[in-house]
Amino acid sequence: MAELKFSEYINKSPTLVKKPSMKDVKVAFLSNFTITGLAETFKVLCYEHGIFIDCYTAPYNQYQQEILNKSSQLYKFNPDIIFILLDGEQLFSDFYYFPYRMSEEQRKQFIENQFKEIKNLISILKENTNAKIVINSFLVPHYSSRGIIENKQKNGIRSSIQALNSMLESLSHKNLQLFVFDTSIFCSKIGYENLVDKRLYYYADMKIAPKALVKLANEYLAYIIPLASMTKKCIVLDLDNTIWGGIIGEDGIANIKLGPEKDGKPYFGFQKRLLELHERGIILAINSRNNYKEAIDAIKNHKYMVLKEEHFASIKINWEDKATNIREIAKEVNIGLESMVYIDDDVRNREMIKELIPEVFVVEMPNDYAMYPEVIENLKMFNTFNITSEDLNRGKMYLSQKKREQLKSKVQDLNSFIKMLGIEIDISKANNFTIPRIAQLTQRTNQFNLTTNRYSEEDIKKLASDGNHLVYGVNVKDKFGDNGLTGTFIINKKFKEKWVIDTFLLSCRVLGRDIEKAMLNELISMAHKEGVKELIGKYFPTQKNMQTAKFYAENGFKHLDENTFLCENPSPTENIDAISVILN
Amino acid sequence: MVIEKVIAFLQSDPEVKEKWDDKVTHDTHLIDAGVIDSFAIIKLIMFLEEEFNIKLESNELVENNFSTLKNIEKLVIEKNNQK
């Protein structure tokens, strides 16, 4: 997906037609300067990533009215995400040009007042919409009449604006809906010369040049990926000339390029970037055509391998074709192909995967390996709105998963396998610690998910406290380790004697161990204790949750209509003796 | 050639296309006739620069240069001759 010219984006945007497979996202832009073309560009970029966005750009410099007026177009549009772009020169007026007419104390006061005003607007937005709010931080001006002693001024113009940006960031720590887009980092990435086009800056009040708007749209994409639940979970890596330089089978372990010097350095850096992703919860896997012995020897014994054998959840080093291997890896780590990213230096392999498994995101690789670390830095598809403790422990969890699989291959039948695992499940009401993860599970779980209702953190918070719902998180552990919070169910109990199961899901990581049955048993006994007469289960089919189609029917529910199953006078059934359940 | 390309670009915007009727000629004042607005002009400026590989100066960013199809063509030809 090469970058187009600004006018080409403008041209292309109105011609886009939504494909059935595409996710919908509604995006609003508010600004105090001209951002003509941003919406069009963004629409094309999102389209290339399989997301169809509907955009609303508020009229020029009307952001305050749009936020304050409860019946404004902004609220009627009902966006999923709102980008706010404010320019300091416009907003701060005299302070921007004559900061030193004010005293040190007045400057401090001025910035605090500016912050209060923005904070107020954000809290009004928060009251009126559940949309994510992204505000651009203010660009710190280059020029100061104080020249080289600018940063010796107390509360000088630059430190004042930096302070305002810090206040916004602190606000976003407390406000889960709010995100600050760092304009200075963006500027340092693309360069100030590219950020502004002074002709259009003055002629059209375009504070960001058209070409820079294209780059900005590209950065904004990072917010849309998690919003559309398109965050990727796994990177599949080739070995030769990808994670090291050279071909292990020809060059040998002593001659491949990898390490802290010269031409080994880019690969060394590349691996470090990958390791950090692994540590934040991205699954790594190997897909390489090689002799297993030579390649695994290099992974285990090369002095400068940053990525070790234990960092890979699946290792396919063989002479199979790469597409077959990718399908095998998906099965082994139990995730969908659409959650996978493939990295390979060989363009033929990349084209083959694109052709054979279009669901997999294939990363374009530059010819020059010095650019490899940057390839990882530029990937947007691992973005999430928060990181949970499950993310941070995922690597360990997959390691214990490998051990479980080894045990499974040794025992004869499923029941004895489950017994040997010594599974303990802990079912607890949602609390502040578990709410982010419960929301994440509703957004990410595709296979064992009966209704696929997607909820944000704010949604879960509301459900857990509105008195009409019960929200439970399910923690699973066994003798190999803690799988963390991997299941959840949400009950709508508005009609006292009739409970509706709004959400019932289990992460694919812990499937095939009868945990779903133990969960349902527990839910049924809860209903029994509360005197529920009718327990309703819902099933909404998607392309991925077929395995749950018969779940309610197999567990004693009557099939009422297409999507509805009924359990009359629910009463507890026999517990699964291999699984111990703790209810909190 | 210039005029055809400019028409095609301007009409790619559905709002412009809607207002573009048979009466529009090469001499129609596009801004007064309400066919294009200031936002369309910004997009047009970028299109002209990218398509014809020219760079306009601030003193050329005046409404008159973009008011009619003929004026737009004249601007592009002049800039090309300066190269």
Side-chain angles (χ1 to χ4, degrees):
Chain A
M1 281 163 271
E3 198 172 281
L4 303 177
K5 288 177 188 166
F6 180 75
S7 57
E8 288 171 326
Y9 284 107
I10 301 287
N11 242 322
K12 205 169 166 186
S13 169
T15 67
L16 302 175
V17 180
K18 191 185 172 219
K19 294 181 197 157
S21 61
M22 286 185 149
K23 304 270 175 65
D24 279 296
V25 177
K26 291 170 104 178
V27 182
F29 297 102
L30 303 178
S31 74
N32 69 349
F33 57 93
T34 308
I35 50 168
T36 298
L38 177 58
E40 287 96 330
T41 311
F42 200 39
K43 200 171 164 106
V44 177
L45 283 176
C46 288
Y47 194 86
E48 286 170 349
H49 282 81
I51 306 162
F52 193 82
I53 62 166
D54 193 4
C55 290
Y56 169 68
T57 303
Y60 174 77
N61 204 11
Q62 297 276 309
Y63 68 100
Q64 282 165 311
Q65 293 88 326
E66 292 276 314
I67 294 171
L68 296 171
N69 176 1
K70 288 194 173 126
S71 52
S72 69
Q73 286 303 317
L74 172 71
Y75 296 124
K76 280 185 194 140
F77 178 70
N78 193 19
D80 299 306
I81 186 163
I82 302 168
F83 291 98
I84 305 176
L85 302 90
L86 298 180
D87 170 59
E89 183 182 351
Q90 168 94 5
L91 193 68
F92 309 144
S93 54
D94 268 3
F95 175 78
Y96 195 86
Y97 282 103
F98 306 105
Y100 298 109
R101 281 181 184 171
M102 290 182 190
S103 70
E104 183 188 317
E105 188 50 38
Q106 282 170 325
R107 289 195 293 272
K108 188 168 173 236
Q109 201 54 52
F110 177 84
I111 286 297
E112 276 168 11
N113 288 341
Q114 291 295 324
F115 173 67
K116 272 184 204 150
E117 277 177 33
I118 297 172
K119 190 179 164 191
N120 181 43
L121 289 174
I122 288 169
S123 69
I124 293 170
L125 265 181
K126 213 182 154 194
E127 276 166 32
N128 291 295
T129 169
N130 280 328
K132 302 275 181 223
I133 304 160
V134 181
I135 183 163
N136 279 15
S137 65
F138 291 95
L139 192 65
V140 178
H142 294 183
Y143 176 76
S144 162
S145 63
R146 298 303 188 256
I148 55 174
I149 53 165
E150 161 58 31
N151 54 9
K152 285 180 186 272
Q153 314 299 312
K154 269 214 161 161
N155 307 328
I157 173 113
R158 281 188 209 138
S159 57
S160 294
I161 291 176
Q162 278 160 349
L164 176 58
N165 288 338
S166 301
M167 289 180 215
L168 287 173
E169 278 178 14
S170 301
L171 185 65
S172 81
H173 298 171
K174 286 174 250 152
N175 181 341
L176 295 176
Q177 243 175 293
L178 178 68
F179 299 82
V180 177
F181 176 81
D182 196 321
T183 306
S184 296
I185 297 292
F186 174 62
C187 178
S188 79
K189 196 172 165 188
I190 72 164
Y192 182 75
E193 301 302 320
N194 296 312
L195 182 73
V196 294
D197 178 333
K198 283 289 176 175
R199 300 166 312 156
L200 296 171
Y201 187 99
Y202 292 115
Y203 170 71
D205 200 22
M206 275 190 101
K207 299 292 163 69
I208 301 177
K211 280 175 190 161
L213 283 178
V214 175
K215 306 265 185 215
L216 182 66
N218 203 26
E219 298 295 323
Y220 279 176
L221 189 62
Y223 296 92
I224 305 298
I225 300 278
L227 207 53
S229 308
M230 289 181 72
T231 302
K232 305 287 179 193
K233 299 174 188 168
C234 171
I235 305 177
V236 179
L237 293 155
D238 170 50
L239 295 178
D240 291 334
N241 284 319
T242 298
I243 75 167
W244 57 59
I247 296 166
I248 188 70
E250 289 172 15
D251 301 323
I253 187 168
N255 297 313
I256 54 173
K257 295 178 205 162
L258 174 65
E261 277 169 53
K262 287 189 243 165
D263 50 3
K265 227 173 172 178
Y267 297 102
F268 201 46
F270 183 65
Q271 289 202 15
K272 286 180 184 169
R273 285 287 184 243
L274 288 163
L275 179 61
E276 208 204 357
L277 282 176
H278 168 80
E279 287 174 4
R280 86 176 276 314
I282 306 300
I283 304 161
L284 302 180
I286 292 174
N287 180 7
S288 164
R289 284 169 72 83
N290 256 315
N291 287 328
Y292 181 80
K293 236 183 111 196
E294 285 165 312
I296 203 76
D297 179 53
I299 292 169
K300 282 183 180 166
N301 299 318
H302 193 288
K303 196 174 157 193
Y304 293 116
M305 270 301 285
V306 176
L307 296 170
K308 312 279 185 208
E309 196 183 3
E310 73 254 28
H311 297 131
F312 298 101
S314 171
I315 297 179
K316 298 283 166 211
I317 302 170
N318 51 41
W319 296 97
E320 277 290 334
D321 75 89
K322 293 207 163 192
T324 307
N325 275 342
I326 288 189
R327 290 183 195 281
E328 286 290 316
I329 292 168
K331 242 190 251 166
E332 225 170 84
V333 296
N334 218 340
I335 58 167
L337 290 162
E338 75 291 337
S339 301
M340 301 177 100
V341 171
Y342 182 54
I343 297 183
D344 193 319
D345 68 296
D346 187 335
V347 65
R348 281 159 304 179
N349 289 334
R350 298 201 299 264
E351 290 305 314
M352 180 184 71
I353 300 302
K354 276 192 215 167
E355 185 66 30
L356 295 176
I357 323 179
E359 301 95 313
V360 172
F361 184 88
V362 178
V363 179
E364 288 309 315
M365 294 297 279
N367 288 328
D368 190 336
Y369 58 84
M371 309 299 286
Y372 280 14
E374 219 168 280
V375 166
I376 303 294
E377 291 159 20
N378 287 327
L379 289 176
K380 303 278 188 306
M381 45 276 302
F382 303 116
N383 276 290
T384 51
F385 288 122
N386 52 48
I387 290 182
T388 63
S389 61
E390 274 72 15
D391 290 327
L392 300 176
N393 289 318
R394 189 163 292 125
K396 267 187 222 146
M397 291 175 189
Y398 273 95
L399 204 60
S400 23
Q401 182 71 1
K402 268 194 197 163
K403 289 181 188 153
R404 273 182 212 106
E405 292 298 326
Q406 284 160 6
L407 173 69
K408 198 174 179 181
S409 61
K410 280 182 210 149
V411 294
Q412 302 298 319
D413 64 295
L414 187 66
N415 279 338
S416 40
F417 168 64
I418 293 171
K419 255 184 204 157
M420 285 174 81
L421 282 177
I423 299 170
E424 278 177 42
I425 69 174
D426 175 322
I427 301 180
S428 304
K429 269 197 180 161
N431 59 45
N432 283 342
F433 296 104
T434 58
I435 282 171
R437 172 63 180 166
I438 291 174
Q440 190 187 51
L441 279 173
T442 70
Q443 289 154 24
R444 284 190 176 190
T445 311
N446 298 315
Q447 299 178 49
F448 200 94
N449 189 345
L450 283 114
T451 54
T452 333
N453 291 329
R454 310 288 193 195
Y455 294 118
S456 68
E457 265 183 72
E458 295 87 72
D459 295 333
I460 296 291
K461 246 187 203 166
K462 280 181 195 154
L463 289 174
S465 59
D466 72 0
N468 286 328
H469 293 86
L470 292 170
V471 182
Y472 280 91
V474 181
N475 199 89
V476 177
K477 62 183 177 190
D478 61 25
K479 70 171 190 182
F480 291 114
D482 196 335
N483 281 287
L485 194 94
T486 37
T488 188
F489 57 83
I490 301 173
I491 300 159
N492 183 339
K493 53 163 191 157
K494 206 160 101 191
F495 307 105
K496 303 282 178 247
E497 297 188 339
K498 179 179 152 188
W499 278 10
V500 180
I501 307 171
D502 172 277
T503 293
F504 193 97
L505 66 84
L506 195 60
S507 161
C508 43
R509 247 190 354 237
V510 293
L511 283 179
R513 296 179 217 164
D514 284 347
I515 293 162
E516 60 280 15
K517 285 184 191 161
M519 273 166 67
L520 188 63
N521 277 355
E522 222 37 62
L523 198 161
I524 289 172
S525 2
M526 273 182 211
H528 174 74
K529 275 181 213 148
E530 295 292 321
V532 171
K533 300 257 160 48
E534 291 183 337
L535 179 61
I536 306 282
K538 291 276 182 189
Y539 168 66
F540 299 114
T542 67
Q543 283 184 343
K544 291 182 202 125
N545 71 355
M546 282 83 82
Q547 62 167 296
T548 63
K550 291 181 180 153
F551 178 65
Y552 285 127
E554 281 169 358
N555 287 285
F557 283 61
K558 260 193 284 179
H559 201 165
L560 283 192
D561 64 47
E562 206 185 340
N563 307 113
T564 314
F565 296 81
L566 168 70
C567 171
E568 272 176 304
N569 298 316
S571 60
T573 48
E574 250 178 74
N575 280 337
I576 299 160
D577 55 3
I579 299 178
S580 61
V581 180
I582 306 159
L583 183 70
N584 288 309
Chain B
M1 198 51 196
V2 174
I3 289 189
E4 281 74 35
K5 281 186 174 170
V6 169
I7 292 175
F9 176 73
L10 288 175
Q11 290 194 350
S12 72
D13 181 342
E15 279 179 37
V16 173
K17 184 153 183 147
E18 205 190 297
K19 290 171 203 145
W20 198 293
D21 56 30
D22 298 343
K23 286 176 217 140
V24 174
T25 68
H26 292 181
D27 293 310
T28 305
H29 199 292
L30 297 169
I31 302 158
D32 287 352
V35 177
I36 61 172
D37 60 10
S38 57
F39 294 124
I41 294 178
I42 298 166
K43 295 177 198 172
L44 178 65
I45 291 169
M46 290 311 292
F47 172 74
L48 297 177
E49 293 197 338
E50 289 174 345
E51 182 68 28
F52 302 107
N53 198 21
I54 54 176
K55 182 122 178 131
L56 300 171
E57 305 276 332
S58 282
N59 61 12
E60 289 157 333
L61 302 181
V62 288
E63 212 179 89
N64 191 45
N65 277 339
F66 311 105
S67 58
T68 69
L69 289 165
K70 265 204 184 140
N71 286 356
I72 295 167
E73 184 187 43
K74 195 170 137 235
L75 177 70
V76 172
I77 291 171
E78 270 173 18
K79 290 302 285 187
N80 256 318
N81 290 341
Q82 283 171 25
K83 272 190 212 166

